Each structure stands twice: as structure tokens, then as C-alpha cells.
Amino acid sequence: MQLNSLTKNNKKKIRVGRGIGSGKGKTSARGHKGQKSRSGVSIKSFEGGQMPLYRRLPKRGFKSMREDMVAILNLSKIQNIIDKKKNDIKDNLNLKTLKEKKLINKKFKKLKILGTGEIKKNIEISAHFVSKQALVKIEKAGGKINILKK
């Protein structure tokens, strides 16, 4: 039994439009005339005059523009900031100092502290929002948190 050299993986590509002898010449298996016979035509969502699916379905939800105004910091990130000598943050951490040290983008208007990770140093943090888990961990490390109202 001899295996055919043209297996599933290495079949020859059919070259269309290469003369009548190839069996795929002249119209290159596209039929005659019409939009689909031309090159560079895509009618993906066209449904023959029927209202397309993307127009039949209702629009849902919206993207809040205020969402991007809150900087989110985890305790692990705060610990990394404290550990780095060049940041030189001694005892007070707030939005203003983070912006001055270029640790967060200047577009942020509020600061939120989340509880992922651990914090070792006792530090005073001023933030607009704090998760319960973060509050417990900061106080356990001997730190203090000021919640700003705006």
C-alpha cells in the first residue's frame, strides 16, 4: 500500500484564472458578472434588503465618562511604592503626593484603596474610598486612614 504524497496537510492550492485547461479559468469559479464576481467587495452584514441583525437589536447600556476619574491602588502596590527609596514617601500618602512623584496619572480626581496584598509599614493614607479589607489591614499594621469627602 502506497501513501499518496498529497495528504491533507500539503495539498496544492488551486490557482484560479490560469486558462481554460485548469478548469478554473475565465470567470475563476465566480459565475458571471454581478457584485460578488468583482474583487474587493464585502457584503458581510447585508441580508438582501432585510433589516440587518445589528440594526434589529436594541442598544444597551452606556460607558460612564466619570469611571476613569478614580485611581485604584492595592495595598501591595502601596507597599512597593514605600519600599522604593527614590519615592521618598515617609508617613503621609495622598493623591497629591502620588501625582507629584508621577506614580499615577494626573487625570485622576479621586483615590480608592483596595485590600489585595499586605502592608508592613504604619503609614497615614488620605483617600476618597477604602474597602473594608484594606481598612482592617492598614489599622492592623499600625497605620491610619483619612477618608476624604468631596
Side-chain angles (χ1 to χ4, degrees):
M1 186 174 136
Q2 187 180 9
L3 288 172
N4 189 358
S5 64
L6 297 175
T7 59
K8 191 175 186 179
N9 293 337
N10 59 352
K11 273 194 170 164
K12 263 188 159 179
K13 185 177 181 284
I14 296 169
R15 296 179 69 212
V16 295
R18 295 293 184 274
I20 57 171
S22 69
K24 293 276 190 248
K26 194 185 165 208
T27 56
S28 307
R30 286 175 174 260
H32 290 276
K33 300 182 181 176
Q35 189 179 12
K36 286 184 178 176
S37 70
R38 316 274 191 241
S39 68
V41 174
S42 64
I43 42 177
K44 288 183 174 66
S45 63
F46 184 69
E47 297 185 21
Q50 177 176 307
M51 188 63 66
L53 183 68
Y54 70 91
R55 289 184 62 195
R56 276 180 283 174
L57 298 175
K59 293 181 185 175
R60 291 282 312 256
F62 75 103
K63 188 175 189 312
S64 175
M65 291 172 70
R66 306 193 77 195
E67 194 174 295
D68 300 329
M69 300 293 188
V70 179
I72 295 172
L73 282 181
N74 279 310
L75 292 179
S76 57
K77 181 78 174 170
I78 293 170
Q79 188 61 47
N80 287 346
I81 290 168
I82 294 166
D83 290 344
K84 289 183 181 170
K85 300 284 186 226
K86 66 176 182 174
N87 292 330
D88 194 41
I89 293 170
K90 298 280 189 281
D91 55 348
N92 199 351
L93 183 87
N94 57 24
L95 191 66
K96 188 180 172 193
T97 55
L98 289 169
K99 283 182 183 179
E100 284 171 2
K101 305 276 184 199
K102 294 186 178 167
L103 296 167
I104 60 168
N105 197 320
K106 62 185 177 185
K107 73 176 181 178
F108 294 119
K109 303 271 189 277
K110 294 183 179 181
L111 181 63
K112 184 173 188 174
I113 309 296
L114 298 180
T116 305
E118 291 295 324
I119 192 157
K120 296 169 190 114
K121 191 176 181 218
N122 60 336
I123 188 166
E124 190 176 323
I125 301 172
S126 299
H128 296 86
F129 311 103
V130 182
S131 70
K132 289 175 187 172
Q133 192 179 8
L135 189 65
V136 169
K137 287 182 180 179
I138 291 166
E139 288 173 349
K140 188 178 175 185
K144 189 180 168 193
I145 191 122
N146 298 330
I147 297 171
L148 305 171
K149 302 261 193 281
K150 270 194 179 176

